[in-house]
Amino acid sequence: MLKLSSLYRTSSRFLAQGCLGVALALSSGYAHAQSITDITVAELSTVPLPDLAAKAWLSLDMNSGQVIAAKDINTEVEPASLTKLMAAYVIFKAIEDGRLSMDQQVPVSEKAWKTEGSRMFINVNTSVKVSDLLQGFIVQSGNDATVALAEAVAGSESAFVALMNEEAQRQGLNDTYYTNSPGLPHPDHKTTVKDLALLAQNLINDFPQHLHYYSQKEYTYNDIRQRNRNRLLWIDETVDGLKTGHTSSAGYCLITTALRDGRRVVTVLVGANSDAARTENSLKLLNWSFQNFETVKLLDQDKPVVDARVWQGLAETVGLGQSQPVWLTVPRGKAADIESVAEYTQPLIAPLEAGRQVGTVTLMLDDLALRQEPLRVLTDVEQAGFMSRMIDKVKLMLQ
Protein backbone atom coordinates (compact mmCIF):
# COMPACT_ATOMS: atom_id res chain seq x y z
CA MET A 1 0.00 0.00 0.00
CA LEU A 2 1.28 3.47 -0.93
CA LYS A 3 2.47 5.37 2.12
CA LEU A 4 0.97 8.84 1.64
CA SER A 5 2.70 10.76 4.37
CA SER A 6 5.67 10.49 6.65
CA LEU A 7 8.11 12.86 8.31
CA TYR A 8 11.66 13.06 7.01
CA ARG A 9 14.28 14.57 9.29
CA THR A 10 17.75 15.76 8.43
CA SER A 11 20.22 17.84 10.41
CA SER A 12 23.32 19.87 9.68
CA ARG A 13 25.76 22.07 11.57
CA PHE A 14 26.23 25.70 10.61
CA LEU A 15 29.87 26.68 10.34
CA ALA A 16 31.48 29.98 9.29
CA GLN A 17 28.22 31.70 8.36
CA GLY A 18 26.23 30.09 11.15
CA CYS A 19 24.67 31.70 14.17
CA LEU A 20 21.73 31.15 16.44
CA GLY A 21 19.73 33.24 18.81
CA VAL A 22 16.76 32.91 21.06
CA ALA A 23 13.33 33.00 19.49
CA LEU A 24 11.67 36.37 19.72
CA ALA A 25 9.97 36.69 23.06
CA LEU A 26 8.18 39.75 21.67
CA SER A 27 6.70 37.76 18.79
CA SER A 28 3.48 39.16 17.33
CA GLY A 29 1.83 39.19 13.92
CA TYR A 30 4.70 41.39 12.77
CA ALA A 31 7.45 38.82 13.36
CA HIS A 32 7.99 35.88 11.03
CA ALA A 33 9.74 33.69 13.58
CA GLN A 34 7.92 31.15 15.72
CA SER A 35 8.77 31.35 19.37
CA ILE A 36 9.94 28.09 20.94
CA THR A 37 11.45 29.41 24.16
CA ASP A 38 11.17 32.71 25.98
CA ILE A 39 14.75 32.70 27.22
CA THR A 40 16.95 35.62 26.25
CA VAL A 41 20.17 35.39 24.29
CA ALA A 42 22.08 36.47 27.40
CA GLU A 43 21.03 33.25 29.16
CA LEU A 44 23.22 31.35 26.69
CA SER A 45 26.25 33.43 27.61
CA THR A 46 28.63 33.44 30.56
CA VAL A 47 28.88 37.24 30.38
CA PRO A 48 27.14 38.80 33.42
CA LEU A 49 24.23 41.15 32.90
CA PRO A 50 24.98 44.86 33.15
CA ASP A 51 24.22 46.50 36.50
CA LEU A 52 21.70 49.19 35.57
CA ALA A 53 20.03 51.70 37.87
CA ALA A 54 16.48 51.49 36.51
CA LYS A 55 13.10 49.98 37.39
CA ALA A 56 12.97 47.83 34.26
CA TRP A 57 14.93 47.52 31.02
CA LEU A 58 15.28 45.51 27.84
CA SER A 59 17.72 45.16 24.93
CA LEU A 60 16.45 44.06 21.51
CA ASP A 61 18.35 43.18 18.35
CA MET A 62 16.36 44.62 15.45
CA ASN A 63 17.98 42.50 12.74
CA SER A 64 16.93 39.22 14.34
CA GLY A 65 14.01 40.49 16.41
CA GLN A 66 15.45 38.75 19.48
CA VAL A 67 15.57 39.93 23.08
CA ILE A 68 19.23 40.04 24.11
CA ALA A 69 18.59 40.67 27.80
CA ALA A 70 15.89 42.14 30.02
CA LYS A 71 14.87 42.87 33.60
CA ASP A 72 11.22 42.88 34.74
CA ILE A 73 10.03 42.60 31.14
CA ASN A 74 6.34 42.33 32.08
CA THR A 75 6.26 44.73 35.05
CA GLU A 76 3.57 47.41 34.70
CA VAL A 77 5.18 50.82 34.21
CA GLU A 78 4.09 54.36 33.44
CA PRO A 79 5.29 55.32 29.94
CA ALA A 80 5.22 59.12 30.32
CA SER A 81 6.22 60.70 26.97
CA LEU A 82 7.22 57.30 25.57
CA THR A 83 3.47 57.28 24.86
CA LYS A 84 4.27 59.55 21.92
CA LEU A 85 5.72 56.59 20.01
CA MET A 86 2.23 55.17 19.66
CA ALA A 87 0.85 58.62 18.87
CA ALA A 88 3.52 58.88 16.17
CA TYR A 89 2.58 55.47 14.76
CA VAL A 90 -1.07 56.52 14.38
CA ILE A 91 -0.08 59.90 12.89
CA PHE A 92 2.39 58.35 10.43
CA LYS A 93 -0.30 55.88 9.37
CA ALA A 94 -2.70 58.77 8.72
CA ILE A 95 -0.06 60.45 6.54
CA GLU A 96 0.62 57.20 4.69
CA ASP A 97 -3.12 56.72 4.07
CA GLY A 98 -3.53 60.28 2.77
CA ARG A 99 -5.75 61.42 5.65
CA LEU A 100 -3.13 63.96 6.71
CA SER A 101 -0.56 65.82 4.58
CA MET A 102 2.74 67.41 5.52
CA ASP A 103 1.77 70.87 4.25
CA GLN A 104 -1.73 70.77 5.78
CA GLN A 105 -2.53 73.66 8.12
CA VAL A 106 -3.85 72.46 11.50
CA PRO A 107 -5.91 74.84 13.65
CA VAL A 108 -4.70 75.11 17.26
CA SER A 109 -7.58 74.57 19.68
CA GLU A 110 -7.77 75.91 23.18
CA LYS A 111 -7.47 72.35 24.48
CA ALA A 112 -4.19 71.83 22.61
CA TRP A 113 -2.88 75.23 23.66
CA LYS A 114 -3.65 74.59 27.33
CA THR A 115 -2.16 71.08 27.48
CA GLU A 116 0.24 70.95 30.41
CA GLY A 117 3.79 69.68 30.45
CA SER A 118 6.47 70.11 27.77
CA ARG A 119 5.43 72.48 25.01
CA MET A 120 6.15 73.56 21.46
CA PHE A 121 4.58 76.94 22.31
CA ILE A 122 1.98 77.06 19.55
CA ASN A 123 -0.64 79.81 19.90
CA VAL A 124 -4.37 79.29 20.24
CA ASN A 125 -6.58 80.18 17.27
CA THR A 126 -3.66 80.01 14.84
CA SER A 127 -2.82 77.37 12.24
CA VAL A 128 0.40 75.36 12.09
CA LYS A 129 1.68 73.11 9.30
CA VAL A 130 1.80 69.40 9.99
CA SER A 131 5.52 69.36 9.15
CA ASP A 132 6.15 71.94 11.90
CA LEU A 133 3.92 70.14 14.38
CA LEU A 134 5.78 66.88 13.76
CA GLN A 135 9.06 68.50 14.76
CA GLY A 136 7.49 70.12 17.80
CA PHE A 137 5.90 66.80 18.71
CA ILE A 138 9.01 64.61 18.20
CA VAL A 139 12.08 66.84 18.63
CA GLN A 140 10.67 69.09 21.37
CA SER A 141 8.27 66.48 22.82
CA GLY A 142 5.56 69.15 22.83
CA ASN A 143 2.34 68.00 24.46
CA ASP A 144 0.49 70.88 22.80
CA ALA A 145 1.68 69.74 19.37
CA THR A 146 0.65 66.16 20.20
CA VAL A 147 -2.92 67.14 20.98
CA ALA A 148 -3.14 69.39 17.91
CA LEU A 149 -2.06 66.50 15.67
CA ALA A 150 -4.40 64.11 17.47
CA GLU A 151 -7.33 66.42 16.78
CA ALA A 152 -6.28 66.76 13.13
CA VAL A 153 -6.21 62.98 12.68
CA ALA A 154 -9.32 61.95 14.60
CA GLY A 155 -11.36 65.09 15.28
CA SER A 156 -10.82 64.98 19.03
CA GLU A 157 -8.13 63.74 21.38
CA SER A 158 -10.47 61.15 22.92
CA ALA A 159 -11.17 59.67 19.47
CA PHE A 160 -7.43 59.64 18.75
CA VAL A 161 -6.73 57.81 22.03
CA ALA A 162 -9.27 55.20 20.97
CA LEU A 163 -7.26 54.73 17.76
CA MET A 164 -4.10 54.38 19.85
CA ASN A 165 -5.66 51.61 21.92
CA GLU A 166 -6.97 49.85 18.82
CA GLU A 167 -3.49 49.95 17.30
CA ALA A 168 -2.00 48.61 20.54
CA GLN A 169 -4.31 45.62 20.34
CA ARG A 170 -3.51 45.09 16.66
CA GLN A 171 0.19 45.01 17.46
CA GLY A 172 -0.28 42.59 20.33
CA LEU A 173 0.61 45.08 23.06
CA ASN A 174 -1.59 43.26 25.52
CA ASP A 175 -0.31 45.02 28.64
CA THR A 176 -0.66 48.55 27.25
CA TYR A 177 -3.52 51.00 27.71
CA TYR A 178 -3.63 54.73 26.93
CA THR A 179 -5.85 57.42 28.47
CA ASN A 180 -4.27 60.42 26.68
CA SER A 181 -2.01 61.10 23.71
CA PRO A 182 1.02 62.92 25.25
CA GLY A 183 1.60 60.55 28.19
CA LEU A 184 0.34 62.61 31.11
CA PRO A 185 0.03 60.69 34.42
CA HIS A 186 -3.15 58.68 34.94
CA PRO A 187 -3.75 55.55 37.06
CA ASP A 188 -4.91 53.55 34.03
CA HIS A 189 -2.20 54.78 31.63
CA LYS A 190 0.24 51.86 31.56
CA THR A 191 2.56 49.62 29.56
CA THR A 192 5.59 47.30 29.96
CA VAL A 193 9.14 47.42 28.58
CA LYS A 194 8.21 44.36 26.50
CA ASP A 195 5.38 46.26 24.80
CA LEU A 196 7.52 49.38 24.41
CA ALA A 197 10.24 47.40 22.65
CA LEU A 198 7.77 45.81 20.26
CA LEU A 199 6.20 49.21 19.54
CA ALA A 200 9.63 50.71 18.83
CA GLN A 201 10.45 47.79 16.56
CA ASN A 202 7.23 48.23 14.58
CA LEU A 203 7.65 52.01 14.29
CA ILE A 204 11.19 51.64 12.92
CA ASN A 205 10.22 48.85 10.51
CA ASP A 206 6.99 50.38 9.24
CA PHE A 207 7.92 54.07 8.95
CA PRO A 208 11.65 54.38 8.18
CA GLN A 209 10.96 57.51 6.09
CA HIS A 210 10.10 59.45 9.27
CA LEU A 211 12.92 58.27 11.52
CA HIS A 212 15.10 61.29 10.70
CA TYR A 213 12.99 63.39 13.06
CA TYR A 214 14.20 61.30 16.02
CA SER A 215 17.85 62.12 15.32
CA GLN A 216 17.17 65.86 14.85
CA LYS A 217 19.03 67.62 17.64
CA GLU A 218 16.99 70.81 17.89
CA TYR A 219 14.07 72.74 16.48
CA THR A 220 13.08 76.41 16.65
CA TYR A 221 9.47 77.56 16.61
CA ASN A 222 8.07 80.97 17.63
CA ASP A 223 11.69 82.08 18.03
CA ILE A 224 12.09 79.51 20.81
CA ARG A 225 14.92 77.03 20.22
CA GLN A 226 14.59 73.71 22.04
CA ARG A 227 17.02 70.82 22.02
CA ASN A 228 16.12 67.17 21.69
CA ARG A 229 16.08 65.72 25.22
CA ASN A 230 17.92 62.57 24.09
CA ARG A 231 21.45 63.48 25.20
CA LEU A 232 22.91 60.38 23.53
CA LEU A 233 22.53 62.13 20.16
CA TRP A 234 25.48 64.30 21.18
CA ILE A 235 27.48 61.54 22.92
CA ASP A 236 27.38 58.65 20.41
CA GLU A 237 27.18 59.29 16.67
CA THR A 238 25.68 55.82 16.05
CA VAL A 239 22.58 56.74 18.09
CA ASP A 240 19.74 57.99 15.88
CA GLY A 241 16.74 57.94 18.22
CA LEU A 242 14.36 57.32 19.76
CA LYS A 243 12.36 58.92 22.64
CA THR A 244 12.68 60.27 26.16
CA GLY A 245 10.03 60.39 28.84
CA HIS A 246 9.72 61.80 32.34
CA THR A 247 7.19 62.46 35.05
CA SER A 248 7.72 62.52 38.79
CA SER A 249 5.89 59.20 39.12
CA ALA A 250 7.46 57.47 36.08
CA GLY A 251 11.01 58.64 36.67
CA TYR A 252 13.37 59.21 33.77
CA CYS A 253 12.80 56.93 30.77
CA LEU A 254 14.54 56.46 27.44
CA ILE A 255 14.11 54.28 24.37
CA THR A 256 17.34 54.34 22.41
CA THR A 257 18.34 52.92 19.05
CA ALA A 258 21.76 52.78 17.45
CA LEU A 259 23.02 51.47 14.12
CA ARG A 260 26.56 50.06 14.03
CA ASP A 261 27.96 48.28 10.96
CA GLY A 262 24.49 47.49 9.66
CA ARG A 263 23.24 46.08 12.96
CA ARG A 264 20.50 47.92 14.86
CA VAL A 265 19.86 47.53 18.58
CA VAL A 266 16.99 49.07 20.55
CA THR A 267 17.13 49.53 24.32
CA VAL A 268 14.27 50.41 26.65
CA LEU A 269 15.02 51.79 30.11
CA VAL A 270 12.43 53.14 32.54
CA GLY A 271 12.43 54.47 36.08
CA ALA A 272 15.92 55.99 36.30
CA ASN A 273 16.35 58.66 38.97
CA SER A 274 17.81 61.41 36.77
CA ASP A 275 18.40 62.53 33.19
CA ALA A 276 22.09 61.72 33.58
CA ALA A 277 21.31 58.24 34.94
CA ARG A 278 19.00 57.31 32.06
CA THR A 279 21.61 58.52 29.57
CA GLU A 280 24.53 56.74 31.21
CA ASN A 281 22.67 53.47 31.76
CA SER A 282 21.17 53.41 28.27
CA LEU A 283 24.60 53.85 26.69
CA LYS A 284 25.99 51.16 28.98
CA LEU A 285 23.28 48.74 27.84
CA LEU A 286 23.81 49.60 24.17
CA ASN A 287 27.56 49.03 24.35
CA TRP A 288 27.15 45.79 26.31
CA SER A 289 24.70 44.48 23.71
CA PHE A 290 26.91 45.29 20.74
CA GLN A 291 30.16 44.08 22.35
CA ASN A 292 29.08 40.72 23.73
CA PHE A 293 26.66 39.48 21.06
CA GLU A 294 26.68 39.27 17.29
CA THR A 295 23.99 38.92 14.68
CA VAL A 296 24.52 37.15 11.35
CA LYS A 297 22.48 35.80 8.51
CA LEU A 298 21.84 32.10 9.08
CA LEU A 299 19.27 31.20 6.43
CA ASP A 300 19.45 33.12 3.19
CA GLN A 301 16.56 34.13 0.98
CA ASP A 302 15.72 31.58 -1.75
CA LYS A 303 18.73 29.40 -0.89
CA PRO A 304 17.82 25.79 0.00
CA VAL A 305 18.23 24.44 3.49
CA VAL A 306 17.81 20.97 2.02
CA ASP A 307 17.24 19.40 -1.41
CA ALA A 308 14.27 17.09 -1.07
CA ARG A 309 13.25 14.12 -3.25
CA VAL A 310 10.21 14.79 -5.43
CA TRP A 311 7.98 12.03 -6.76
CA GLN A 312 5.94 12.06 -9.99
CA GLY A 313 7.49 15.36 -11.09
CA LEU A 314 9.55 16.67 -13.99
CA ALA A 315 12.36 17.31 -11.47
CA GLU A 316 13.71 14.68 -9.10
CA THR A 317 14.56 17.14 -6.33
CA VAL A 318 13.42 20.55 -5.12
CA GLY A 319 15.03 23.04 -2.78
CA LEU A 320 13.27 23.73 0.52
CA GLY A 321 14.10 26.93 2.31
CA GLN A 322 13.04 30.45 3.23
CA SER A 323 11.24 33.16 1.29
CA GLN A 324 13.14 35.79 3.32
CA PRO A 325 16.48 35.89 5.15
CA VAL A 326 16.69 34.78 8.77
CA TRP A 327 19.09 36.69 11.04
CA LEU A 328 19.98 35.34 14.45
CA THR A 329 21.76 36.76 17.48
CA VAL A 330 24.19 34.64 19.48
CA PRO A 331 26.82 35.14 22.18
CA ARG A 332 30.15 35.79 20.49
CA GLY A 333 31.98 32.54 19.69
CA LYS A 334 28.88 30.31 19.59
CA ALA A 335 28.27 30.32 15.83
CA ALA A 336 30.03 27.02 15.08
CA ASP A 337 27.91 25.13 17.63
CA ILE A 338 24.60 25.67 15.86
CA GLU A 339 22.71 22.82 14.19
CA SER A 340 19.66 22.92 11.95
CA VAL A 341 17.11 20.12 11.94
CA ALA A 342 14.86 20.05 8.87
CA GLU A 343 11.62 18.09 9.05
CA TYR A 344 9.26 17.82 6.10
CA THR A 345 6.44 15.66 4.86
CA GLN A 346 7.32 12.72 2.62
CA PRO A 347 6.60 11.80 -0.04
CA LEU A 348 6.57 15.14 -1.82
CA ILE A 349 4.37 14.52 -4.82
CA ALA A 350 4.23 16.88 -7.81
CA PRO A 351 2.83 19.27 -8.76
CA LEU A 352 4.43 21.56 -6.17
CA GLU A 353 4.03 25.33 -6.08
CA ALA A 354 6.77 27.69 -4.95
CA GLY A 355 6.00 29.11 -1.49
CA ARG A 356 4.08 26.10 -0.23
CA GLN A 357 5.06 25.16 3.33
CA VAL A 358 5.96 21.49 3.62
CA GLY A 359 7.86 21.40 6.91
CA THR A 360 9.99 23.28 9.41
CA VAL A 361 13.64 23.89 10.21
CA THR A 362 14.51 23.99 13.90
CA LEU A 363 17.67 25.74 15.06
CA MET A 364 19.45 23.97 17.90
CA LEU A 365 22.17 24.81 20.39
CA ASP A 366 23.41 22.16 22.82
CA ASP A 367 20.34 20.03 22.09
CA LEU A 368 18.05 22.93 22.97
CA ALA A 369 15.49 23.96 20.35
CA LEU A 370 15.60 27.74 20.24
CA ARG A 371 13.85 28.81 17.08
CA GLN A 372 11.74 27.34 14.32
CA GLU A 373 11.11 28.58 10.80
CA PRO A 374 8.85 27.23 8.03
CA LEU A 375 10.35 25.22 5.18
CA ARG A 376 8.85 26.26 1.84
CA VAL A 377 9.15 24.94 -1.68
CA LEU A 378 11.49 27.33 -3.53
CA THR A 379 10.60 26.51 -7.16
CA ASP A 380 7.60 25.12 -9.01
CA VAL A 381 7.73 21.43 -9.91
CA GLU A 382 5.36 20.36 -12.65
CA GLN A 383 3.77 16.95 -12.77
CA ALA A 384 5.53 14.38 -14.96
CA GLY A 385 3.94 12.38 -17.78
CA PHE A 386 1.78 9.31 -17.21
CA MET A 387 4.53 6.68 -17.51
CA SER A 388 6.93 8.53 -15.20
CA ARG A 389 4.19 8.92 -12.61
CA MET A 390 3.40 5.18 -12.76
CA ILE A 391 7.05 4.27 -12.30
CA ASP A 392 7.32 6.50 -9.24
CA LYS A 393 4.13 5.03 -7.78
CA VAL A 394 5.58 1.54 -8.06
CA LYS A 395 8.86 2.70 -6.46
CA LEU A 396 6.93 4.18 -3.56
CA MET A 397 4.93 0.97 -3.06
CA LEU A 398 8.15 -1.02 -2.84
CA GLN A 399 9.73 1.23 -0.22
Side-chain angles (χ1 to χ4, degrees), residues 151-209:
E151 292 173 339
V153 170
S156 68
E157 190 197 7
S158 60
F160 183 82
V161 172
L163 293 179
M164 292 171 64
N165 284 316
E166 288 176 10
E167 183 60 37
Q169 289 301 303
R170 189 181 76 87
Q171 294 188 26
L173 312 184
N174 298 322
D175 296 313
T176 294
Y177 184 77
Y178 303 109
T179 62
N180 61 82
S181 59
L184 298 172
H186 187 282
D188 297 327
H189 197 88
K190 61 182 181 178
T191 189
T192 63
V193 294
K194 173 182 176 180
D195 282 2
L196 286 168
L198 182 53
L199 172 58
Q201 179 186 42
N202 293 334
L203 184 75
I204 292 169
N205 283 335
D206 295 346
F207 301 106
Q209 69 274 27

Side-chain angles (χ1 to χ4, degrees), residues 292-356:
N292 295 295
F293 303 89
E294 59 183 332
T295 299
V296 298
K297 187 187 295 184
L298 181 59
L299 305 178
D300 208 351
Q301 181 178 8
D302 296 330
K303 290 188 177 180
V305 175
V306 63
D307 289 315
R309 176 71 162 92
V310 178
W311 301 90
Q312 303 179 35
L314 292 179
E316 289 191 357
T317 62
V318 66
L320 306 180
Q322 294 291 309
S323 57
Q324 56 186 328
V326 174
W327 296 81
L328 292 173
T329 304
V330 65
R332 291 194 181 275
K334 289 284 189 178
D337 297 331
I338 305 311
E339 289 185 320
S340 68
V341 177
E343 296 180 301
Y344 55 94
T345 301
Q346 277 280 36
L348 290 176
I349 299 177
L352 296 172
E353 294 183 359
R356 173 183 165 188

Side-chain angles (χ1 to χ4, degrees), residues 238-253:
T238 69
V239 172
D240 55 2
L242 197 59
K243 189 71 190 77
T244 61
H246 170 255
T247 64
S248 57
S249 52
Y252 289 83
C253 310

Side-chain angles (χ1 to χ4, degrees), residues 12-223:
S12 62
R13 184 176 291 273
F14 290 99
L15 299 175
Q17 296 294 321
C19 173
L20 180 93
V22 183
L24 178 64
L26 303 181
S27 182
S28 74
Y30 294 77
H32 68 273
Q34 300 178 34
S35 179
I36 294 179
T37 66
D38 286 336
I39 64 175
T40 64
V41 184
E43 292 178 66
L44 304 176
S45 172
T46 58
V47 176
L49 295 179
D51 184 16
L52 304 177
K55 180 178 181 180
W57 55 265
L58 182 148
S59 174
L60 170 71
D61 189 286
M62 280 284 297
N63 296 57
S64 66
Q66 294 166 255
V67 177
I68 299 172
K71 175 180 178 289
D72 294 331
I73 190 171
N74 293 309
T75 297
E76 182 179 304
V77 298
E78 180 185 335
S81 278
L82 302 183
T83 300
K84 293 185 175 74
L85 288 186
M86 178 56 80
Y89 194 101
V90 176
I91 292 165
F92 293 159
K93 188 70 167 62
I95 293 172
E96 182 179 73
D97 293 344
R99 294 180 285 114
L100 195 69
S101 64
M102 298 295 283
D103 58 356
Q104 180 177 332
Q105 294 284 340
V106 174
V108 178
S109 69
E110 185 171 353
K111 176 179 174 61
W113 176 62
K114 283 185 174 181
T115 305
E116 61 187 65
S118 54
R119 304 177 62 78
M120 178 187 176
F121 297 104
I122 50 180
N123 295 319
V124 67
N125 297 327
T126 62
S127 293
V128 184
K129 283 202 308 184
V130 167
S131 59
D132 290 322
L133 286 171
L134 281 177
Q135 293 175 89
F137 158 62
I138 296 172
V139 182
Q140 300 174 334
S141 197
N143 293 348
D144 49 357
T146 308
V147 173
L149 285 166
E151 292 173 339
V153 170
S156 68
E157 190 197 7
S158 60
F160 183 82
V161 172
L163 293 179
M164 292 171 64
N165 284 316
E166 288 176 10
E167 183 60 37
Q169 289 301 303
R170 189 181 76 87
Q171 294 188 26
L173 312 184
N174 298 322
D175 296 313
T176 294
Y177 184 77
Y178 303 109
T179 62
N180 61 82
S181 59
L184 298 172
H186 187 282
D188 297 327
H189 197 88
K190 61 182 181 178
T191 189
T192 63
V193 294
K194 173 182 176 180
D195 282 2
L196 286 168
L198 182 53
L199 172 58
Q201 179 186 42
N202 293 334
L203 184 75
I204 292 169
N205 283 335
D206 295 346
F207 301 106
Q209 69 274 27
H210 297 305
L211 293 183
H212 63 92
Y213 289 117
Y214 292 97
S215 61
Q216 186 174 328
K217 292 182 177 180
E218 62 179 41
Y219 181 60
T220 300
Y221 185 80
N222 253 351
D223 294 325

